[in-house]
Amino acid sequence: MHSESTVEFAPTDEQPLLAKRQSWKGRMRSKWYRMDRLSRVLFSLVILTLGAATVSRILIEVFSPFDSRPITIPPRVDEDNDTARTDDERRQAVRAAMQHAWQGYRQYAFGKDELQPVSNSSNNKWGGWGVTLIDALDTLHMMELHAEFKEGVRHVANLDFTQAKNGYKTPFFEMVIRSLGGLLSAYEMSLDQRLLKKAKEVGDVLMPAFDTPTGIPYPRVNVSAGKAIPSDRVCIAEAGTVQLEYWKLSELTGIPDYHETAQRVVDLLDQADKPYKGLYPIWIDIASGKMDSGSITFGGMGDSWYEYMLKQYIYSRYEHDQYRRMYEESIDSMKQLMVRRSIYDPEMYYVGDLDSSATKFSPRYQHLTCFVPGMLALGSKALDRPDDLELAKQLTYTCFQMYNRTETGLSPEYVQFRDTKNFGLSSTKNDSDFSLTALGGASDKEKRDGFYLGPNRSYILRPETLESIMIMYRITGDKMYKEWGWQIFQSIEKWTKTPAGYSAYRDVTSTKGSKEWSDSMESFFLAETLKYLYLLFSPVDYYSLEEYVFNTEAHPFKIMRHARP
């Protein structure tokens, strides 16, 4: 086929109309007839192919919008990654684990809140919204399990979120991070408008929680009655870990009230009196907004409050300086008062808890607190705090050893440390977090491990360590973190896999296998644990930390297009 320049004729006296007065249609017709037969055939085939592709695209957009813009794993890998084949094999192994868990849920619990993977039954412990299904949607899409994703979307589209099982008091915080967060993320991945419609429905039915004297939310809502359940207090994680989801809902719907209502909670707590700068006792008096009771912790009931300070700053494209200031105040005080080191392993650092006055220290490191190193690594990059990255490495080491140094390779809910005077928490009793007692001589195992276990030795398929390992790899590029993650995954496969899914494990020191299964598979195993593992073995630009912020349930939100005015 000749180029256009080869078929043009210079204007002459014999052909004045071709170049001077002939219409564009006439000129195109003339050029067509000057082409040879083969060129015309090839040109016609190109036009027909483009037309067919355009029609197909229109049909996809009309009849299958949620699958119209799939995000796929690119074939390339990191330029400096010489383990491409290993990464792909491991990623596929994690994907197979997700398929196994989903198939069990689909067979025995579809539409219910949770699968019970030992008895092959189900429960509706979250009110009957099908929380596992909603929590898992974006993981299915991320792993390119599109048939499963479509089936889940069809089910969600017919749910009525204005109703819960009779008499159920819906937990505000849990449903925001799991259901609202899951629907928003799945919508951004698929652009299926049904998901955004349902996300708005969930956001709306939970909004009555904010109808309090101070605007600090009540912890539970009667969604069927359209009103909150009055309460005297709420923990700070429940009140302060809903802002990212409501901000995203405002961005996607154009309704600012969601963000503004949730933001008022942050403003109030920012101004409240604290026992130490940047550190917040977990219990908030809803009527007054005062925080004067409960421990100060980066573990359960406090954790995600601190996490969201940083993540909202990143989500705002580094424009909302209030979040940066609050985060830095909290991290500086945490490093000053709450970080200790094992007396037996000098590389083992941990974050303990403080009492409400910030004067008593508890030498316990919760698995829930193992999100902290990942948070510190993100903050070190976003805020140019290189010392935080060094602490993140030390804390990640401890979190990994909580797995590595047990008989099963699974981590307990927490580990405990003795101080230099041989005082610590009881290893057999659930005493107060601040009731330190004199301990006997350390066993050889404690000296080797650097810590000792408390009475709760269960592993409930938690994700926090894997979250930090994934982030640490993406921030540092150190392939050691991939090996740590793979080792943990192999232990999960060996000890918790049932014929129908994966079960929480009662005692990580026991090698009795199925006898330790507790017949529970929390939705966060599909939403978080498997997702972080999959991302660990994926290219670093797949759901890049430069483009996404993950909510505390691992639902990725695209960083907002424009900073807030």
Side-chain angles (χ1 to χ4, degrees), residues 93-94 97-98 100-101 367 403 408-411 459-466 484-498 501-505 517 521 525 528-531 533:
V94 176
M98 180 67 182
H100 176 70
H367 192 291
Y403 285 81
T408 58
L410 301 173
S411 171
Y459 173 65
I460 63 170
L461 308 173
R462 287 203 185 277
E464 291 79 17
T465 294
L466 290 166
W484 288 2
W486 181 244
Q487 180 177 320
I488 291 172
F489 175 68
Q490 289 179 303
S491 295
I492 291 172
E493 283 283 297
K494 180 176 181 179
W495 298 106
T496 74
K497 189 174 184 177
T498 78
Y502 294 81
S503 174
Y505 202 82
W517 292 343
M521 186 177 78
F525 178 67
E528 300 186 71
T529 307
L530 293 178
K531 183 182 292 157
L533 278 163

Side-chain angles (χ1 to χ4, degrees), residues 538-558:
S538 297
V540 296
D541 58 356
Y542 190 61
Y543 290 91
S544 165
L545 299 178
E546 302 287 341
E547 300 174 3
Y548 289 87
V549 166
F550 288 75
N551 89 330
T552 197
E553 192 75 4
H555 298 305
F557 293 166
K558 290 181 181 178

Side-chain angles (χ1 to χ4, degrees), residues 226 230 308 450 452 563:
Y308 271 30
Y452 62 98

Side-chain angles (χ1 to χ4, degrees), residues 212-216 232 268-269 272 284-292:
T212 70
T214 56
I216 294 172
D232 292 333
L268 193 153
L269 298 180
I284 308 169
D285 182 87
I286 294 175
S288 66
K290 292 183 179 179
M291 297 174 290
D292 55 10

Side-chain angles (χ1 to χ4, degrees), residues 1-2 32 35-45:
M1 183 175 181
H2 300 292
W32 172 261
M35 297 168 63
D36 59 46
R37 180 175 296 177
L38 178 60
S39 298
R40 282 188 235 171
V41 170
L42 292 175
F43 183 78
S44 298
L45 287 174

Side-chain angles (χ1 to χ4, degrees), residues 129 161-164 168-170 205-206 221-227:
W129 281 1
F161 289 106
T162 65
Q163 300 295 320
Y168 184 70
K169 300 174 182 178
T170 300
V205 301
L206 296 176
V221 178
N222 183 336
V223 298
S224 301
K227 60 183 181 181

Side-chain angles (χ1 to χ4, degrees), residues 406-422:
T406 69
E407 286 79 354
T408 58
L410 301 173
S411 171
E413 276 288 277
Y414 53 80
V415 296
Q416 300 176 161
F417 298 83
R418 68 175 64 212
D419 63 22
T420 55
K421 297 180 181 179
N422 280 323

